Amino acid sequence: MSLSSHLQELKKKHQHLSDNVEMMQRSAGTDGLEIARLKKQKLHLKEEISRLSTG
């Protein structure tokens, strides 16, 4: 897999997590720990995207 396609995959995953977090935050009774876990995954992806983009 090329770097470019790997970055695109990471960006897709990041957007998917972002959409899920937003949906969960709008839902009543959503588990705050689950939202926090997804946000942490999102942050890790963002950091990896940034690292690979500048690397």
Side-chain angles (χ1 to χ4, degrees), residues 1-18:
M1 178 182 286
S2 72
L3 179 58
S4 174
S5 59
H6 184 58
L7 281 170
Q8 287 293 55
E9 272 305 306
L10 292 175
K11 288 177 183 179
K12 284 181 191 176
K13 288 179 183 180
H14 183 270
Q15 184 60 50
H16 181 72
L17 283 172
S18 188

Side-chain angles (χ1 to χ4, degrees), residues 33-44:
L33 290 175
E34 180 66 13
I35 292 173
R37 186 183 67 78
L38 291 175
K39 284 184 174 184
K40 194 171 187 177
Q41 284 181 346
K42 221 178 106 174
L43 178 61
H44 286 295

Side-chain angles (χ1 to χ4, degrees), residues 18-30:
S18 188
D19 293 343
N20 282 347
V21 166
E22 187 177 325
M23 182 182 67
M24 290 177 79
Q25 287 176 328
R26 291 180 182 176
S27 300
T30 301

